[in-house]
Amino acid sequence: MNAATDRQWAVRDAVLRWLLAKATEGYRSPILDADAIGETVGWAPSPLTRDEVADASNYLYREGYVTGVPVMGIGIPRPMLTVAGRRVATAGRPLRRVVRSHDVVS
């Protein structure tokens, strides 16, 4: 994998962890905010961008980890964790591992 792909997966993980943290605080459907996500999850690389966060929210929506209303160019502005999303976020494993485990074909 390359650095851009690694970052994309890391952003997805960060958004999922942030959503779990917000849900734990009582905010079931918070407004996506790249700066708030970075602060909450301790994002160390270069700051998150709105586009990265929007792409991550769209991915999480397509995979069934969040629910909400997609808005073109914004992603899922007020995502809410699904049961599957909460399970994955609580497990603390990187999403990339979760996806790979689903790709196994017998």
Side-chain angles (χ1 to χ4, degrees):
M1 296 285 168
N2 64 35
T5 301
D6 291 342
R7 182 175 170 99
Q8 183 179 44
W9 281 106
V11 173
R12 292 169 179 172
D13 289 332
V15 172
L16 195 62
R17 286 194 322 267
W18 176 75
L19 285 168
L20 180 62
K22 296 310 278 182
T24 302
E25 294 172 5
Y27 300 103
R28 291 185 48 189
S29 185
I31 297 171
L32 279 181
D33 180 335
D35 294 331
I37 293 167
E39 288 175 28
T40 301
V41 303
W43 186 261
S46 60
L48 296 169
T49 67
R50 285 186 291 185
D51 287 342
E52 287 175 322
V53 170
D55 289 344
S57 71
N58 282 325
Y59 171 83
L60 296 171
Y61 176 79
R62 284 191 314 272
E63 295 300 314
Y65 297 131
V66 301
T67 187
V69 179
V71 176
M72 189 168 5
I74 298 175
I76 314 300
R78 294 187 66 98
M80 185 168 45
L81 282 175
T82 62
V83 172
R86 182 178 291 273
R87 188 177 313 120
V88 170
T90 302
R93 291 187 315 239
L95 282 170
R96 184 181 278 176
R97 286 175 110 189
V98 174
V99 171
R100 284 184 182 164
S101 69
H102 291 290
D103 291 341
V104 176
V105 178
S106 52

